[in-house]
Amino acid sequence: MTAQAAYRNLTDHFARIGALRAVSGILGWDAAVMMPGGSAEARAEQQAALDVAIHEKVTDPRVRDWLAAATAETPEAEANLAEIRREVAHATAVPADLVDAYARAANESEMVWRTARPANDFAALLPKLRVLLGLVRQMGQAKAEALGTSVYDALLDQFEPGGRSADIDVLFADLARFLPDLTEQVLTAQAKRPAPLPLVGPFPIPAQKTLGERLMTALGFDFDRGRLDVSHHPFCGGAPGDVRITTRYSEDSFFPAMMGVLHETGHALYEIGLPRQHRGQPIGLARGMSLHESQSLLVEMQVSRSLPFLTFAAPLIREAFGAEGPAWSAENLHAHAMQVERGLIRVNADEVTYPAHVILRYRLERALIDGSLDLADLPGAWNAGMKELVGITPPDDKDGCLQDIHWPAGLFGYFPTYTMGAMTAAQLYAAAQADVPTIPDEIAQGNFAPLLGWLREKVHGLGSTRSAKDILIAATGAPLSVAPFRRHLERRYLDA
Amino acid sequence: MTAQAAYRNLTDHFARIGALRAVSGILGWDAAVMMPGGSAEARAEQQAALDVAIHEKVTDPRVRDWLAAATAETPEAEANLAEIRREVAHATAVPADLVDAYARAANESEMVWRTARPANDFAALLPKLRVLLGLVRQMGQAKAEALGTSVYDALLDQFEPGGRSADIDVLFADLARFLPDLTEQVLTAQAKRPAPLPLVGPFPIPAQKTLGERLMTALGFDFDRGRLDVSHHPFCGGAPGDVRITTRYSEDSFFPAMMGVLHETGHALYEIGLPRQHRGQPIGLARGMSLHESQSLLVEMQVSRSLPFLTFAAPLIREAFGAEGPAWSAENLHAHAMQVERGLIRVNADEVTYPAHVILRYRLERALIDGSLDLADLPGAWNAGMKELVGITPPDDKDGCLQDIHWPAGLFGYFPTYTMGAMTAAQLYAAAQADVPTIPDEIAQGNFAPLLGWLREKVHGLGSTRSAKDILIAATGAPLSVAPFRRHLERRYLDA
């Protein structure tokens, strides 16, 4: 077998794996958007069989032989080989029956969570979550040995390749130093400003959907290769070349659904902009969750809650709901978009208080993984952490430790990527405006091409050909730091 | 390895295969119902990767070892082993690269057909179809050697396990002997009756959908484990435990969509009634396409176009559309349901003229497979056959040889199962009424339980534990014959 043939065998093999992962993406979308409730058990069998089939392919003994024989003739091939090695290390660390048990336990736990959360019944979830956490720790230990990292970092690496908790500790400590004071200052400044004029509905859902579609189209979403639907938890899913986002609507308010659409559109634009020539290969995939979240937050937080964007969007919003008057000015919409409040719920949090929610989860999941916190003590630890970090105590578990799907779905090591994404978004958008100063003015005119072009060149089009760190340094001149995020918050919330 | 362990390994392995096939069913549903048009290319890669993964599992060398070592301890296990052997014979006959090439060619050909048909452009389809037919013949030859059958029977066996063209030849010759005269007599008798009173619309699509859902529910469809949606070509798909049917609507007429829903509901009830304890195993699957089509045609043709059913349905139909007057009586609806006409389009054909469409396709596909008909000559052969068998000549290929998706999708050996299904339906429904004479009266009251109970016991609940022939003999006392179908047609159309 020549080195070229070995590399070709690898890329053929991983193209099939990529296609099966795309199938998994469609299946996941279907489960959240289309599947009838009674079909969940059958679906769990399907998803598990698909996961095992993918795992079998990644751990196929021939892959090791091909990796030993293959040489890279281009930098892209070199990066692809490195990604394949990383994937194989993750997968071979974990035996197939553990993968299978994890998939089933995650599905069962998630299903119980779906009823336990509205019932405020942590005790109902606890046994399922305990089984799942045990399997997660087993997986993490196996991966830690294979990767030469800590157990937590091995879990983190699944979502954030190369991410290390030692770096996160430093960044989150920086955040924790200034955010409490900043939050106080922001709330004080906000209290001195007049309250925004109310936006009075109802807002018919078909009109909200049409508005969302118009904004998505303006941003560059292609409806011939994607969809917008409804699900309980908004997400960006589907498959490469078939990117599907969801939102959820309330007739009482259009802002959450609109911002949800814009957030998921940020994710979608990243997926759509991935390098077409590498589709199906590991280097053709998005580069980790913090960069992914940076794209959604760049669109939602940096762009869509800015005055230039709302200058563009205000007439579309007025048209969608047949609204008029001063409440519907760009300035008043902007005032709504930047309301800050200490709240119980992470997904409803504004960008100022959001990091506190994430730091809480990061601390707790590290303790759950290293065994210093028992799951039975999670509600108490949660409430104490909320009091310390956000400044309020949840009245119940429903809006406390039961609020997120992540842990019941088996996702540990995921939460920190949200706030790393927020910081990355601030750093990228500052660099984009430094490179192309007309971006905000163009956005006010509804022209997103300069921004999208910059993102495609600096981020989207690179896929996983480089590390997240190298992508960020090349795009912004510096590794991830708290400073641009802090400047952004101070400028938006204190200089206003 | 003990014989029991070998059998257990087989059932575990085929449970995973069954789950991956279920994934394929969901993916197919998505492609027809939800997928954006521009994602077809990406989807083709996904579907091909999944097909290959399934094929690899069926042809896994361990399966042969397990089959050699396994013994069956129950009749069900014996049947399951026989089905596994049949599956393995089909799959091992065909190398993976041919399976892959076939899947891609079928997808490409189907995609071209989607535009070639409305464009009436057989020449555009011809090169794709020629490639595909070549691959189908290669597959058929390989399977014929493995199964010890003719090439055509090997293809037929994919859809109709154990089906043989020698039997079909006899049955279709019987049909061809009396159907032309019967059609003439039916048309003459119909011409002597007054035309049915017109059913004047428009018929709003939401009202049609609600009507369809009410009828489905009455028949026993479970919306917690299934869906009703819209697709260009109605079908019953999805997965075990998640059965999804589609229809298509026109505001001008509700009859086609309603009958489409009822037809697919017949398919769905079969899937829903399959033996739960064998789900995932080969014996847990429906027993071939003629029995499947018999269930849809039993519900649509035998039941839903009968006066008792329309006695039950008429008030629901009137309520759905706010209609009243003599046109909306059960008798007038029944007169609409039994209109006969020589037409160009198979899917629009009534049950009297439908077999002629199928006999034409059966003759042509046998000639295409054995090479006595070149694809380039298909349009001419089609038109000549239509003239001979149906009595009219298509004005163009759009409504001629381009009308069906089957051949462009790579399905050869499928068409005869439609008419075998129609004959099976007549034979089963006659036996059901002989066993439970109150069935029609109960249906007139909206009570489908006696019929469904009989079908579950005699057909649905047996899955593939016996051959289609044995199921039919046990249910009706006789192998498949033309007589019950002929009696049904004469009674409905000539005694009326």
Side-chain angles (χ1 to χ4, degrees):
Chain A
M1 183 166 49
T2 66
Q4 290 90 337
Y7 183 68
R8 169 57 63 99
N9 286 339
L10 279 172
T11 55
D12 286 353
H13 191 75
F14 275 83
R16 291 209 195 281
I17 292 169
L20 291 178
R21 287 198 171 124
V23 172
S24 185
I26 298 294
L27 216 57
W29 174 87
D30 182 89
V33 179
M34 292 293 157
M35 187 184 77
S39 305
E41 193 190 334
R43 176 59 55 86
E45 299 284 339
Q46 297 159 19
Q47 188 69 58
L50 189 59
D51 290 345
V52 170
I54 292 167
H55 187 261
E56 285 171 351
K57 280 199 181 298
V58 177
T59 58
D60 187 320
R62 293 174 302 170
V63 169
R64 201 176 37 207
D65 300 339
W66 293 331
L67 275 173
T71 53
E73 303 198 324
T74 64
E76 281 81 11
E78 186 63 49
N80 206 30
L81 281 175
E83 281 307 297
I84 290 173
R85 286 198 183 90
R86 200 181 66 80
E87 276 209 36
V88 172
H90 268 285
T92 51
V94 186
D97 58 351
L98 180 51
V99 174
D100 199 14
Y102 165 76
R104 283 166 202 272
N107 191 278
E108 281 180 28
S109 158
E110 183 182 326
M111 287 299 142
V112 171
W113 171 78
R114 289 190 187 281
T115 52
R117 191 200 169 188
N120 190 38
D121 191 354
F122 181 75
L125 178 64
L126 183 58
K128 296 284 182 194
L129 195 54
R130 196 181 285 288
V131 170
L132 179 59
L133 177 61
L135 294 165
V136 168
R137 291 174 70 187
Q138 279 184 50
M139 277 181 35
Q141 277 152 8
K143 291 186 174 200
E145 282 170 35
L147 298 170
T149 65
S150 72
V151 173
Y152 185 83
D153 283 0
L155 295 170
L156 175 67
D157 195 88
Q158 302 174 114
F159 310 110
E160 185 61 19
R164 292 293 174 264
S165 49
D167 297 333
I168 298 173
D169 289 343
V170 173
L171 292 164
F172 282 13
D174 279 359
L175 285 174
R177 259 191 294 279
F178 77 85
L179 271 178
D181 281 356
L182 180 69
T183 304
E184 265 309 312
Q185 293 170 44
V186 167
L187 289 170
T188 304
Q190 180 173 281
K192 288 181 185 157
R193 287 194 296 271
L197 300 170
L199 302 167
V200 179
F203 304 100
I205 288 170
Q208 291 193 56
K209 182 162 195 277
T210 303
L211 172 63
E213 288 166 347
R214 288 186 72 174
L215 295 172
M216 288 167 72
T217 301
L219 278 156
F221 188 91
D222 177 3
F223 278 96
D224 191 41
R225 289 180 168 75
R227 298 178 50 99
L228 167 64
D229 294 278
V230 172
S231 70
H232 189 64
H233 290 266
F235 68 97
C236 172
D242 190 358
V243 178
R244 304 178 178 191
I245 71 169
T246 67
T247 191
R248 58 182 163 187
Y249 300 103
S250 155
E251 293 222 326
D252 300 332
S253 171
F254 71 95
F255 238 90
M258 183 181 80
M259 285 299 164
V261 163
L262 291 162
H263 180 96
E264 303 306 336
T265 299
H267 282 305
L269 293 174
Y270 188 9
E271 290 290 323
I272 292 166
L274 289 169
R276 182 68 186 84
Q277 70 275 23
H278 299 313
R279 181 181 293 172
Q281 296 301 313
I283 52 166
L285 295 172
R287 179 76 287 184
M289 288 318 301
S290 72
L291 214 49
H292 226 310
E293 192 67 12
S294 82
Q295 297 309 291
S296 56
L297 292 175
L298 194 153
V299 170
E300 182 199 346
M301 294 293 178
Q302 300 289 321
V303 169
S304 301
R305 293 177 188 268
S306 73
L307 190 56
F309 177 86
L310 290 162
T311 302
F312 153 67
L316 301 182
I317 294 169
R318 288 193 293 265
E319 188 187 327
F321 306 117
E324 52 188 34
W328 300 90
S329 70
E331 291 72 18
N332 193 59
L333 291 167
H334 185 223
H336 277 277
M338 48 182 279
Q339 287 298 297
V340 173
E341 189 183 6
R342 299 187 204 276
L344 293 171
I345 306 296
R346 175 185 60 85
V347 295
N348 297 341
D350 53 81
E351 60 182 334
V352 178
T353 57
Y354 200 108
H357 292 271
V358 167
I359 293 169
L360 167 67
R361 286 154 179 77
Y362 174 65
R363 289 180 186 172
L364 293 175
E365 70 180 8
R366 288 194 64 182
L368 289 170
I369 294 297
D370 74 21
S372 59
L373 174 65
D374 187 87
L375 264 179
D377 301 326
L378 179 62
W382 182 283
N383 291 353
M386 278 295 291
K387 179 74 188 150
E388 177 198 337
L389 286 160
V390 184
I392 50 178
T393 303
D396 53 33
D397 295 335
K398 177 164 63 67
D399 291 339
C401 68
L402 282 175
Q403 70 182 264
D404 294 307
I405 194 174
H406 300 63
W407 294 336
L411 302 178
F412 290 78
Y414 190 110
F415 277 122
T417 66
Y418 288 118
T419 287
M420 288 160 73
M423 295 188 290
T424 304
Q427 191 160 327
L428 284 171
Y429 195 49
Q433 291 175 90
D435 285 357
V436 190
T438 57
I439 281 176
D441 290 343
E442 294 290 347
I443 286 174
Q445 306 290 321
N447 180 15
F448 295 87
L451 172 61
L452 189 58
W454 191 91
L455 290 172
R456 290 231 160 125
E457 181 194 335
K458 305 286 186 179
V459 180
H460 304 177
L462 299 177
S464 286
T465 58
R466 308 189 203 173
S467 71
K469 190 180 224 172
D470 286 350
I471 290 171
L472 193 63
I473 291 172
T476 72
L480 185 58
S481 86
V482 169
F485 181 61
R486 180 176 188 164
R487 270 197 301 276
H488 160 72
L489 295 181
E490 290 172 344
R491 193 167 303 154
R492 177 172 285 173
Y493 296 94
L494 298 180
D495 298 352
Chain B
M1 184 166 50
T2 66
Q4 289 90 337
Y7 184 69
R8 167 58 62 100
N9 286 338
L10 279 172
T11 54
D12 285 353
H13 192 74
F14 275 82
R16 291 210 195 282
I17 293 169
L20 291 178
R21 288 200 170 122
V23 171
S24 185
I26 298 295
L27 216 56
W29 173 87
D30 183 89
V33 179
M34 292 293 157
M35 186 184 77
S39 304
E41 194 189 334
R43 176 59 54 87
E45 300 283 338
Q46 297 159 19
Q47 189 68 58
L50 189 59
D51 291 345
V52 169
I54 292 168
H55 187 261
E56 285 172 351
K57 280 200 182 295
V58 177
T59 58
D60 188 322
R62 292 174 301 169
V63 169
R64 202 178 34 209
D65 300 338
W66 293 330
L67 276 173
T71 53
E73 302 198 326
T74 64
E76 283 80 10
E78 186 62 48
N80 206 30
L81 280 175
E83 281 307 296
I84 290 173
R85 287 200 181 90
R86 200 182 66 81
E87 276 210 37
V88 171
H90 267 286
T92 51
V94 186
D97 58 351
L98 180 52
V99 173
D100 199 14
Y102 165 78
R104 283 167 202 274
N107 192 278
E108 282 181 27
S109 159
E110 183 182 327
M111 287 299 142
V112 171
W113 172 78
R114 288 189 188 281
T115 52
R117 190 198 170 189
N120 192 37
D121 190 354
F122 181 76
L125 178 64
L126 183 58
K128 296 284 183 195
L129 196 54
R130 196 182 285 288
V131 169
L132 179 59
L133 177 61
L135 294 165
V136 167
R137 291 175 68 188
Q138 278 184 51
M139 276 181 35
Q141 277 151 9
K143 291 187 174 198
E145 282 170 34
L147 299 171
T149 65
S150 72
V151 173
Y152 185 83
D153 284 358
L155 295 170
L156 175 67
D157 194 88
Q158 301 174 112
F159 310 110
E160 186 60 20
R164 292 294 174 263
S165 50
D167 297 332
I168 299 173
D169 290 343
V170 173
L171 292 165
F172 283 13
D174 278 359
L175 286 174
R177 257 192 293 281
F178 77 86
L179 271 178
D181 281 354
L182 181 69
T183 306
E184 266 309 311
Q185 292 170 43
V186 168
L187 290 170
T188 304
Q190 181 173 280
K192 287 181 187 158
R193 287 195 294 270
L197 300 170
L199 302 167
V200 180
F203 304 100
I205 289 171
Q208 291 192 54
K209 182 162 193 280
T210 302
L211 173 63
E213 288 166 347
R214 287 186 70 176
L215 296 173
M216 288 167 72
T217 301
L219 278 156
F221 188 92
D222 177 3
F223 278 97
D224 191 42
R225 290 180 166 75
R227 297 178 51 98
L228 167 65
D229 294 278
V230 171
S231 70
H232 189 63
H233 290 267
F235 67 97
C236 172
D242 190 356
V243 178
R244 303 178 179 192
I245 72 169
T246 68
T247 190
R248 55 183 165 187
Y249 301 102
S250 156
E251 292 221 327
D252 300 332
S253 171
F254 70 95
F255 238 90
M258 183 181 81
M259 285 298 164
V261 164
L262 291 162
H263 180 97
E264 303 305 337
T265 299
H267 282 305
L269 293 175
Y270 189 8
E271 291 289 324
I272 292 167
L274 289 168
R276 183 69 188 82
Q277 71 274 25
H278 299 313
R279 181 180 292 173
Q281 296 302 312
I283 51 166
L285 296 171
R287 176 77 289 182
M289 289 317 301
S290 72
L291 213 49
H292 226 311
E293 193 67 12
S294 81
Q295 297 309 291
S296 57
L297 292 175
L298 194 155
V299 170
E300 182 200 345
M301 292 295 177
Q302 300 288 323
V303 169
S304 301
R305 293 177 189 268
S306 73
L307 190 56
F309 178 85
L310 290 163
T311 301
F312 153 67
L316 300 182
I317 294 170
R318 288 194 293 265
E319 187 187 326
F321 305 118
E324 52 188 34
W328 300 89
S329 69
E331 291 71 18
N332 192 59
L333 291 166
H334 185 224
H336 277 279
M338 48 181 280
Q339 287 295 296
V340 173
E341 190 182 6
R342 298 186 204 276
L344 293 170
I345 305 297
R346 176 185 59 84
V347 296
N348 297 342
D350 52 80
E351 61 183 332
V352 178
T353 57
Y354 201 108
H357 292 271
V358 167
I359 293 168
L360 168 66
R361 286 154 178 78
Y362 174 65
R363 289 181 187 173
L364 292 175
E365 71 179 9
R366 288 194 64 183
L368 289 169
I369 294 298
D370 74 21
S372 60
L373 175 65
D374 187 86
L375 263 180
D377 300 326
L378 178 62
W382 182 283
N383 292 353
M386 278 296 289
K387 179 73 188 154
E388 178 198 338
L389 286 159
V390 184
I392 51 178
T393 303
D396 53 32
D397 295 335
K398 177 164 63 69
D399 292 337
C401 68
L402 283 175
Q403 70 182 266
D404 294 308
I405 195 176
H406 300 63
W407 295 337
L411 303 178
F412 290 79
Y414 189 110
F415 277 123
T417 66
Y418 288 118
T419 288
M420 289 160 72
M423 293 188 291
T424 304
Q427 192 162 327
L428 284 171
Y429 195 47
Q433 290 175 89
D435 285 357
V436 189
T438 57
I439 282 177
D441 291 342
E442 294 290 348
I443 287 175
Q445 306 291 322
N447 179 15
F448 294 87
L451 173 61
L452 190 58
W454 191 91
L455 289 171
R456 290 231 160 124
E457 180 194 335
K458 304 287 185 177
V459 180
H460 304 175
L462 299 177
S464 286
T465 58
R466 309 189 202 173
S467 71
K469 191 181 223 170
D470 286 349
I471 290 171
L472 194 63
I473 290 173
T476 71
L480 185 58
S481 87
V482 170
F485 181 60
R486 181 175 187 165
R487 268 198 301 277
H488 160 70
L489 295 181
E490 289 173 345
R491 193 167 303 157
R492 177 172 286 174
Y493 295 95
L494 297 181
D495 298 352

